[in-house]
Amino acid sequence: GGSASASTIKQVKLERESELRIEVCNETPLKLRLNGSAEIFGSELAPEMWLTFPPRLKFAVFTWYGATIEMDGATETDYTADETPMVSYVNVHAVLEGRRNRAKALSPNDSEASQGPRVIVVGPTDSGKSTLSRMLLSWAAKQGWKPTFVDLDIGQGSITVPGCIAATPIELPIDPVEGIPLEMPLVYFYGHTTPSNNVDLYKTLVNELAQMLETQFARNAESRAAGMVINTMGWIEGTGYELLLHAIDTFKANVVLVLGQEKLFSMLKAVAKSKPNVDVVKLQKSGGVVSRNAKYRQKSRGYRIREYFYGLANDLSPHSNIANFSDLLVYRIGGGPQAPRSALPIGADPIANPLRVTPVNIDRDLLHMVLAVSYAKEPDQILSRFVVLS
Ligand code: ATP
């Protein structure tokens, strides 16, 4: 990519139920114009207008009825595909829609029956979980629902900075460029990019988030009927699998969508035998999902953090605040200094309490680290006070 040649406009004709898959070039944005009707991951595109897509974005323009697309700018790749799992995805949406309508029609006093679908999307890395979550949310929002999006993926989450789990209501179809609006998300800061650093802490935060949402749903019949869509991590083996089961139970998920893995599907199907109101559904992975290696993921986390502070188009200017070290208290959860063996009774192992909140010295080790601001009044409340990032 990145050639400086005069721009050439490329025109692509899309047949019905096909998609144009695009990876924008790494250095320069891509301009695109639609003629007809098409959507990007469930959000309809405005026709007849040049839209700009930032470097590195990977997406597909899908049309149900046929469309023509013009592209101006370089891409890493672009190709059309007429084999997509979109029909099966939209069928899932239709079933969820039915459940939402049923929940809405029932008395809001019956909190059980008036609960809309709680969908959890699971699958290995690069199976298209975030993308499917997004489509289901955008299609629901288009029909006027305000479903809650829960993102448990601390590595590649799409609500806020990496290292957090978060939830937010989705009131409008998600903008293909801007992503999820950061208006009033509920954010719990975990502080690492993989749950294996502190599994107990991860579970505790998932519990806290679920409890907070439960309280909100109890007060709000509209969002209860709309239900939620939960995106998860691609870690599905061993502890990762246990964390999936934990999330299914904690959020009382009643629809489990399994993307692209037979083994995970059959394992979850077996588990669900003892849970009559949980439906486990297998869905095909889209051939368009782009695989990303560990290095790429690390890089994109860096971009996400930058975007959080500076905006997608470098249009934010974060301001700094000066404070005295003596006015700030910094804490770390788990993994704090352990008592030396010599200070313990003979034979005892120095086991760190994973949920212990320990003060941290403010020194050079904190340089280039992302910390969260807590609303806790006392250190022992830190775990249960969510963090507001906006
Ligand atoms: P993770 O393992 O990080 O959780 P995931 O399973 O959630 O990944 P996605 O993030 O949904 O996978 O998809 C991976 C990448 O592929 C994203 O950049 C997404 O935009 C892109 N992608 C998904 N579907 C398509 C498609 N049909 N055409 C083009 N690109 C796509």
Side-chain angles (χ1 to χ4, degrees), residues 19 58 125-131 153 156 288 290 292 297:
E19 68 186 21
K58 303 171 193 349
T125 47
D126 298 322
S127 55
K129 297 177 295 301
S130 320
T131 305
D153 189 350
Q156 323 285 319
V290 183
R292 300 158 297 171
R297 285 164 186 275

Side-chain angles (χ1 to χ4, degrees), residues 5 61 100 150 203 225 268 300 319 354:
S5 64
V61 185
R100 290 186 183 109
V150 178
K203 279 189 175 170
L268 290 173
S300 61
H319 65 106

Side-chain angles (χ1 to χ4, degrees), residues 307-353:
E307 180 194 326
Y308 175 78
F309 288 103
Y310 295 93
L312 198 58
N314 250 331
D315 49 350
L316 301 178
S317 32
H319 65 106
S320 52
N321 263 327
I322 310 261
N324 290 321
F325 282 4
S326 56
D327 294 337
L328 295 174
L329 296 166
V330 180
Y331 294 92
R332 178 195 304 275
I333 299 164
Q338 299 169 4
R341 220 170 254 279
S342 59
L344 292 171
I346 290 166
D349 274 327
I351 308 166
N353 171 3

